[in-house]
Amino acid sequence: AAGLVLGVLSIVLSGPRRVAVVAVLLGLVRYRLDLALPGTLGSDRNLSGTVVVITGASSGIGLALAQKLAAHNATLILGCRNLTKCEARKPAGDVSCALLDLADLASVAPFAADVAGRVSRVDFLVNNAGVIAPPGLRSAQGLELSFQVMHLGHFLLTRELWPLLQKPHPQGSPARIVNHASAAFVGGRLHASLFAGDGEGDLRGEITDGCIKWDPATWSARDVQGVPALCPVAGGYSRAKLGQVLFTQEL
């Protein structure tokens, strides 16, 4: 329903009005996620001793999941780019915050080392952190921001934590990796240049961003023909979610 509303608004409205309405709707969705009701995990389930790493856990789905798991006595390590915000919002229990900014790949290995210094294994890795970035924004490595934060960063983090994920749980259950995706992946496109030559084609969003013109002064987006466009949901965001789906299948 939310996707349908956003799609209609992207056609009916234009310029700042469209962006403002979409921003309000996304804000409401985020608010509701912060108040998410508990899922199907049994109230008597004790996760004491189970180690869970969650990225982007200071708000939204990540925070709601942390609250739920903490209530069941899990050991949580929350990867957040704002430690002050994380410390203020983290639930009570065996919960700690660690610095992780997926917009800078240089922060991934130190975070993994920090995790290894705190625990001897990881039972669940939840790659949750996300961003809806306007076209043209780049990471510290100069890559398209959405694709790096939601896909490349999580891919690297999974590799860095792989040794800890191989350690057996005391109860013998295997580790689990959860990659949060979105129905938006359906609109994602991976340009052929990604798979040719050195494989660096379009990692900076040259083609993804080239389909629209973005005016940061007015916060409006139009494609090259001047038709209103819903961006960046149909561009870098969708491609990043597609990357996560394909990564999950391959993994």
Side-chain angles (χ1 to χ4, degrees):
L4 178 60
V5 170
L6 289 175
V8 171
L9 287 173
S10 70
I11 297 173
V12 175
L13 301 178
S14 62
R17 288 181 300 167
R18 181 185 68 253
V19 175
V21 173
V22 170
V24 170
L25 287 175
L26 291 176
L28 291 174
V29 170
R30 177 176 176 178
Y31 174 74
R32 292 309 307 168
L33 288 175
D34 286 342
L35 299 178
L37 295 176
T40 58
L41 188 61
S43 60
D44 59 343
R45 180 76 179 273
N46 186 4
L47 297 178
S48 179
T50 297
V51 180
V52 184
V53 174
I54 308 174
T55 68
S58 60
S59 63
I61 295 174
L63 177 59
L65 179 61
Q67 293 169 339
K68 181 64 176 177
L69 295 178
H72 290 265
N73 304 314
T75 296
L76 304 179
I77 300 177
L78 311 181
C80 303
R81 57 191 176 93
N82 187 328
L83 288 180
T84 301
K85 182 178 178 181
C86 182
E87 292 289 348
R89 294 189 172 189
K90 72 177 184 179
D94 188 3
V95 183
S96 57
C97 297
L99 181 64
L100 175 63
D101 184 0
L102 293 172
D104 184 356
L105 296 178
S107 78
V108 176
F111 171 77
D114 189 356
V115 171
R118 299 171 189 244
V119 295
S120 60
R121 70 177 195 283
V122 172
D123 302 307
F124 291 89
L125 169 60
V126 184
N127 291 321
N128 161 77
V131 61
I132 299 181
L137 289 189
R138 302 290 181 261
S139 69
Q141 284 68 41
L143 305 179
E144 196 276 315
L145 191 62
S146 296
F147 197 60
Q148 175 167 316
V149 169
M150 292 184 283
H151 175 53
L152 297 177
H154 283 139
F155 177 88
L156 178 59
L157 178 60
T158 301
R159 289 192 58 177
E160 291 289 337
L161 291 178
W162 194 254
L164 293 180
L165 289 161
Q166 301 304 301
K167 300 294 181 64
H169 189 280
Q171 298 178 359
S173 57
R176 176 171 293 181
I177 299 169
V178 179
N179 292 325
H180 283 174
S182 163
F185 88 91
V186 176
R189 296 291 183 270
L190 298 178
H191 194 267
S193 61
L194 280 169
F195 310 100
D198 57 12
E200 292 188 358
D202 204 32
L203 284 177
R204 294 169 180 80
E206 301 95 334
I207 299 170
T208 304
D209 292 352
C211 67
I212 61 106
K213 292 183 178 179
W214 181 263
D215 182 2
T218 60
W219 278 82
S220 61
R222 294 180 181 275
D223 71 6
V224 292
Q225 286 79 34
V227 179
L230 180 61
C231 286
V233 174
Y237 181 88
S238 295
R239 183 175 65 160
K241 293 303 186 182
L242 174 60
Q244 281 300 85
V245 170
L246 296 177
F247 170 42
T248 302
Q249 290 182 329
E250 185 66 16
L251 182 62

